Amino acid sequence: MNDHSHPHDDHEHPHPSETPVDAGSQALTEALRSSFAIVRVVMFLLVVVFLASGFFKVEPNERAMILRYGKPLGEGTKALLGPGLHWSFPYPIDEIQKVSVTGVQKVNSSVGWYATTPEMELAGTEPFAGPTLNPAVDSYTLTADANIIHVRSTLSYHVVDPKRYVFGFVAATNIVQNALNNAIVFASANYKVDDILTKDKAGFQKAIEKRATELLDKENVGVAVDQCDVQTTWPRQQTVKNAFIAVFNAQILRDKALQEASSHTNQVLTAAKPPSNAIVNLAEAQRAQYVNDISSRATNFLNILPWYKTNANLFVQQRFNETMGRVLTNIEEKIYVPERIDGKTRDLWLLLNREPPKPSTANTNQ
């Protein structure tokens, strides 16, 4: 009876062994609930950080392209991103390729140069040349007149088509390098050794630059050549080196002699110019005078021609008298011996006094 008089005592007073289990479950539930909240916050922050990491900046001298799973987004110029802040999905979804479009890039070619090291270059020293040239160690090029020289070059260029430069080739830099190597060998084979080393260095340099530019344009690498620096020298082996130096010195003496001769020529021409100009000017003045005189005489002849046609004999006699009067001016006695018309000879007797005439008395008294 007593048990039934208190039916709810078991619920109001749980068994002591069950109370710690329920409290632990509740604590675990709350801990899990808190952990899940923290995980959600952390995941949210991770997502925010992940997405925020997609922002990137393109500098003014750069262009950028977004590769989504390795494929460029956009076609043509639309695939290029200009300077400024941009966003893309972070790696590995998207990948950013930046290319400098104004920055100058360089490639060096030593396809025709002897073996050396950067340390030796900085120290200004050269490796041992040896008695003969070893092709396995020292590279060289052949000239048009079958001589051996050493040539190396540095090509400066900038990118004008970033998409073609990045995606058109596995390594566009290697294409530029090969074009420069080809240009060095090609230009060397078309120039004589004297022209390369002394006479036409600038022409040889331009030939290398032109050849490299043609090859790069043919392959459409997407670059533009800015400058090509070339360095040349003769073989370093002593015997050949001495021969080249002797020829080089002879050319210097020849050029000096030619320069002195040219200077002397200029001096002589400069000194002779004023006298020659004076002679030419005098000749021009005399020519003008003669032309004017002849022109005047011709006009006079044309004016008196009608008189001559009217009476030729009378005209001739009048002109003769005028001429003789002008020639024999101040002569007291004038004797004319006219020509015979019949063609016969005529004897002319002249009485010449050997003694000068004596002065008269009247003149003496005076």
Side-chain angles (χ1 to χ4, degrees):
M1 293 295 293
N2 293 334
D3 294 335
H4 294 285
S5 61
H6 303 283
H8 302 290
D9 288 344
D10 293 339
H11 296 283
E12 293 178 358
H13 301 282
H15 194 275
S17 61
E18 296 179 356
T19 301
V21 175
D22 294 340
S25 298
Q26 184 177 3
L28 179 61
T29 301
E30 293 179 355
L32 291 175
R33 186 180 298 111
S34 301
S35 299
F36 284 140
I38 294 174
V39 169
R40 283 196 297 268
V41 172
V42 171
M43 290 183 63
F44 175 77
L45 293 176
L46 289 175
V47 171
V48 171
V49 171
F50 178 76
L51 295 178
S53 65
F55 288 97
F56 61 94
K57 183 179 180 181
V58 179
E59 299 296 334
N61 64 333
E62 295 177 333
R63 295 295 182 270
M65 290 170 287
I66 299 177
L67 305 182
R68 181 157 295 170
Y69 301 113
K71 183 179 180 180
L73 291 182
E75 297 292 336
T77 57
K78 294 182 179 179
L80 300 178
L81 301 178
L85 189 64
H86 302 275
W87 181 86
S88 67
F89 286 107
Y91 184 84
I93 300 176
D94 289 345
E95 184 179 356
I96 308 302
Q97 285 281 353
K98 294 182 179 180
V99 180
S100 176
V101 293
T102 59
V104 176
Q105 303 186 46
K106 295 182 179 181
V107 292
N108 299 315
S109 174
S110 57
V111 68
W113 202 251
Y114 52 83
T116 185
T117 61
E119 292 76 13
M120 290 183 176
E121 294 282 342
L122 292 176
T125 60
E126 294 184 352
F128 177 69
T132 59
L133 188 147
N134 184 2
V137 178
D138 295 336
S139 299
Y140 60 89
T141 61
L142 291 176
T143 63
D145 51 357
N147 279 287
I148 292 176
I149 61 170
H150 296 299
V151 184
R152 65 179 175 181
S153 177
T154 300
L155 186 71
S156 302
Y157 67 95
H158 66 275
V159 179
V160 294
D161 187 352
K163 187 175 181 181
R164 177 66 180 173
Y165 181 79
V166 174
F167 302 108
F169 307 91
V170 176
T173 305
N174 293 340
I175 303 298
V176 180
Q177 178 77 61
N178 293 335
L180 181 57
N181 294 342
N182 180 288
I184 290 176
V185 176
F186 179 84
S188 298
N190 286 275
Y191 273 75
K192 295 182 178 180
V193 63
D194 290 342
D195 296 332
I196 295 175
L197 296 178
T198 56
K199 294 181 180 179
D200 194 13
K201 286 186 174 182
F204 180 66
Q205 178 176 330
K206 290 181 180 179
I208 294 178
E209 182 176 344
K210 180 181 178 182
R211 176 68 174 178
T213 302
E214 290 175 351
L215 293 176
L216 294 175
D217 291 343
K218 181 179 179 181
E219 296 296 332
N220 191 20
V221 183
V223 300
V225 175
D226 296 323
Q227 186 177 354
C228 181
D229 297 323
V230 179
Q231 184 179 354
T232 60
T233 187
W234 45 67
R236 299 178 301 125
Q237 285 66 34
Q238 195 63 40
T239 304
V240 181
K241 182 178 180 181
N242 292 339
F244 271 96
I245 292 176
V247 173
F248 181 71
N249 292 334
Q251 290 177 348
I252 292 177
L253 294 177
R254 182 201 61 183
D255 294 340
K256 182 179 179 181
L258 291 175
Q259 185 176 3
E260 291 177 353
S262 177
S263 177
H264 180 69
T265 300
N266 293 333
Q267 292 177 1
V268 172
L269 292 177
T270 303
K273 191 171 183 180
S276 65
N277 291 338
I279 294 173
V280 171
N281 294 335
L282 179 60
E284 287 290 338
Q286 292 179 350
R287 181 188 65 84
Q289 181 180 356
Y290 291 153
V291 170
N292 293 334
D293 184 42
I294 294 173
S295 177
S296 176
R297 292 184 181 184
T299 303
N300 186 35
F301 287 154
L302 292 176
N303 292 334
I304 64 177
L305 180 60
W307 299 353
Y308 177 81
K309 291 181 177 180
T310 302
N311 191 337
N313 293 330
L314 178 60
F315 178 83
V316 172
Q317 188 63 38
Q318 289 177 346
R319 300 287 83 75
F320 178 77
N321 293 336
E322 292 176 0
T323 303
M324 295 303 296
R326 186 170 61 254
V327 173
L328 303 177
T329 304
N330 299 328
I331 296 179
E332 297 180 356
E333 297 181 0
K334 303 174 182 177
I335 301 175
Y336 296 97
V337 183
E339 296 181 357
R340 291 182 63 90
I341 301 177
D342 55 5
K344 296 180 180 181
T345 60
R346 174 182 298 174
D347 295 333
L348 177 63
W349 295 82
L350 297 177
L351 181 60
L352 301 177
N353 191 355
R354 292 181 176 271
E355 298 180 0
K358 296 180 179 180
S360 63
T361 306
N363 295 333
T364 305
N365 295 331
Q366 293 178 359

